[in-house]
Amino acid sequence: MTIAIVDDFEPDQKNIANCMKRFLNKQGDYLLQFYFYSNGKDFITSLSNHFFDIVLLDCCMKGLNGLETAEELRRQPPSE
């Protein structure tokens, strides 16, 4: 399962993201791959190379905010 975490991480927030990663890894016998993106634009660009089962978006990012990023994600063609 692939998980994208999109957030313009402040130095103290990187610890929160790592805690979230450790927590999710302990929730069962799943093979989880995490991808971290510091802004919505980089995440949207990555969609041509990656498929994500779960996307966690911060709503208050600089540039393309979480709601705008979600709208762009919704506009992407479905993966096969």
Side-chain angles (χ1 to χ4, degrees), residues 3 7 10-12 19 28-29 31 34 40-41 45 48 57 64 69 74 77 79:
I3 300 171
D7 190 344
E10 299 294 326
D12 61 329
C19 287
D29 295 327
L31 177 59
F34 291 87
K41 184 177 177 183
T45 301
S48 62
L57 293 170
L64 199 62
T69 302
R74 193 178 70 78
S79 64

Side-chain angles (χ1 to χ4, degrees), residues 37-50:
Y37 297 92
S38 60
N39 60 68
K41 184 177 177 183
D42 288 347
F43 166 70
I44 295 298
T45 301
S46 77
L47 294 175
S48 62
N49 298 321
H50 296 287

